[in-house]
Amino acid sequence: MIRFGPAGIPLSCKGRTLQDGIEDVHNLSLSALEIQMVRASSYTRCPDDEEIGMTLKDIEEGFVIEIVRDGEPISDPDEPIDEDDDLIYMPSGVSDTFGELYGIGDMAKRLDVNMSIHTPYYMDLGSNTELTDVCLDSIRHAGLIMDALDGDIVVTSLGLYDDKMDREEVDNNIFENVAMLMDWWQGNGLRPRLGVEITGQQDVFGSLDQVLDLCEAIPGVAPVVNFSHYHSRTNGSLRETDDFLNLLEQVEPYCDGRIHTAFAGVDYIDGNEKRLTPIKKGDLKFDYLAEALIEMKPNATIISTSPLLEHDAMYMRVIHERVLSKKVAKDIKERKKAEAAASGE
């Protein structure tokens, strides 16, 4: 099955809540929605008197995502809050309260909308500075949100290079931090996958080889194919159907039967992405990807990261259906021709 959906609440959606976005995606005959975790700041506060004995699911004011007890985070949503605990809350959570996520996830399942989440775009798991701890928390919190929503995957980039550190040292730090993150992930029984995205800049960790090496080394990590990023990073290498097929076939063994991707038009120069554009612009053509998907028949999600969001998600769905119809018509014609030739003999 091929799913299409926007990166964020549809631009045409009258409401701006996650519930509104899911309903709007469904009404547009789309079947995926990727939450954009733009503001991931979290703060610590003491529990109110009435919150003692409650769980994270019970709190009715504010998006409290985690308990800290004796300096250690407790992510179990069913753990009762003690008076000496600290609470981690997010002023800009994806819903009013953490407990609401469970009902929202049920609604998404009923409407057959596949949920994913993208962490903030600036990530730094390579410097091992205070910022690295903040970024690790952002990924952990995205995992907790997706788990409550019973969603599919957390999508993230991992870090960039600069002149202050050797690239090999940055790479080693990234591998160690992701391994530590996955230990926590699996130790807390989180069900969504952790997806590492192919990036579109030469000075950012995330070439295809780097992503696949990470997936090979750390069980549970999945590659996320951002076609616009890959096309930019490889100076426009996705030109024909076989180019898309080759890329998909390389990542498929690490995807647990579910390939997560993103697509948009793109401007690039010297192996670096400059800007995303509507799908009709630029030299990255969705028609060839549609042909590759029809030939390969994977279980895949295509997220529109185009500035036109849901419009281009629907446009991709239409192109995919059009290419499929042409192939079916051609196959029927060839079969009838073969049958006629056989009966004439």
Side-chain angles (χ1 to χ4, degrees):
M1 179 179 183
I2 309 298
R3 294 178 177 271
F4 297 95
I9 295 172
L11 300 173
S12 58
C13 184
K14 293 181 180 179
R16 303 312 298 169
T17 68
L18 182 54
Q19 297 98 313
D20 295 327
I22 293 170
E23 290 175 351
D24 216 51
V25 162
H26 172 73
N27 292 336
L28 292 170
S29 297
L30 298 172
S31 53
L33 174 62
E34 188 163 282
I35 300 168
Q36 302 301 289
M37 198 175 175
V38 179
R39 300 180 183 87
S41 299
S42 60
Y43 303 90
T44 303
R45 70 169 175 83
C46 297
D48 297 333
D49 290 341
E50 62 269 20
E51 292 172 339
I52 306 302
M54 287 185 175
T55 68
L56 298 178
K57 294 179 179 178
D58 300 326
I59 295 176
E60 297 181 351
E61 289 191 14
F63 193 90
V64 179
I65 194 168
E66 211 166 25
I67 299 168
V68 176
R69 181 172 298 158
D70 298 325
E72 294 295 326
I74 297 175
S75 304
D76 182 357
D78 295 313
E79 176 71 20
I81 297 168
D82 291 341
E83 60 179 345
D84 294 329
D85 291 341
D86 289 319
L87 303 181
I88 305 299
Y89 77 100
M90 302 176 70
S92 299
V94 300
S95 64
D96 289 337
T97 68
F98 184 79
E100 284 184 351
L101 294 177
Y102 294 89
I104 295 172
D106 289 341
M107 181 185 73
K109 294 291 184 185
R110 290 196 305 272
L111 298 180
D112 192 31
V113 175
N114 188 60
M115 300 297 296
S116 57
I117 189 169
H118 200 299
T119 65
Y121 284 88
Y122 185 90
M123 301 298 289
D124 178 9
L125 269 62
S127 69
N128 279 1
T129 60
E130 185 176 344
L131 179 58
T132 300
D133 293 334
V134 173
C135 293
L136 285 168
D137 282 344
S138 293
I139 299 173
R140 289 194 312 103
H141 293 161
L144 295 171
I145 290 169
M146 267 296 97
D147 194 62
L149 287 167
D150 196 14
D152 178 36
I153 191 168
V154 173
V155 180
T156 190
S157 59
L158 296 177
L160 69 166
Y161 302 108
D162 57 32
D163 297 331
K164 299 177 182 178
M165 294 180 64
D166 179 76
R167 286 196 170 212
E168 185 176 352
E169 183 181 1
V170 172
D171 291 348
N172 289 337
N173 288 343
I174 286 174
F175 270 71
E176 290 174 2
N177 283 322
V178 173
M180 178 180 64
L181 182 64
M182 285 309 301
D183 286 343
W184 173 88
W185 202 278
Q186 293 165 353
N188 282 273
L190 298 192
R191 296 164 295 173
R193 297 174 293 162
L194 176 62
V196 176
E197 186 173 34
I198 296 173
T199 58
Q201 302 285 336
Q202 300 295 325
D203 61 353
V204 180
F205 180 96
S207 69
L208 174 62
D209 287 343
Q210 286 176 323
V211 170
L212 295 185
D213 286 347
L214 194 68
C215 295
E216 183 75 35
I218 305 173
V221 178
V224 173
V225 184
N226 189 308
F227 292 104
S228 311
H229 292 346
Y230 180 83
H231 190 64
S232 300
R233 191 172 188 122
T234 57
N235 271 314
S237 66
L238 297 174
R239 298 286 181 175
E240 300 177 353
T241 302
D242 285 347
D243 298 327
F244 286 97
L245 269 173
N246 178 58
L247 176 56
L248 290 169
E249 287 169 353
Q250 288 186 73
V251 302
E252 193 274 336
Y254 303 96
C255 291
D256 194 26
R258 296 164 289 160
I259 301 177
H260 193 82
T261 74
F263 196 97
V266 65
D267 291 335
Y268 58 92
I269 186 170
D270 297 331
N272 290 292
E273 178 183 306
K274 305 304 291 183
R275 67 187 62 82
L276 297 178
T277 69
I279 287 173
K280 291 183 179 181
K281 296 185 178 182
D283 62 359
L284 181 62
K285 303 300 182 183
F286 182 76
D287 303 64
Y288 297 121
L289 174 55
E291 291 173 359
L293 292 169
I294 289 166
E295 182 173 337
M296 188 177 178
K297 301 181 180 64
N299 180 7
T301 297
I302 319 291
I303 296 296
S304 168
T305 53
S306 155
L308 299 181
L309 280 187
E310 74 273 16
H311 176 278
D312 272 353
M314 292 186 289
Y315 182 56
M316 286 190 288
R317 190 198 68 220
V318 169
I319 292 176
H320 182 262
E321 291 172 351
R322 185 186 303 156
V323 173
L324 179 59
S325 296
K326 288 181 178 179
K327 184 180 186 304
V328 170
K330 181 180 179 181
D331 291 346
I332 292 174
K333 183 177 180 180
E334 290 178 351
R335 187 176 71 245
K336 287 183 176 180
K337 185 177 180 180
E339 290 172 349
S343 62
E345 294 176 357

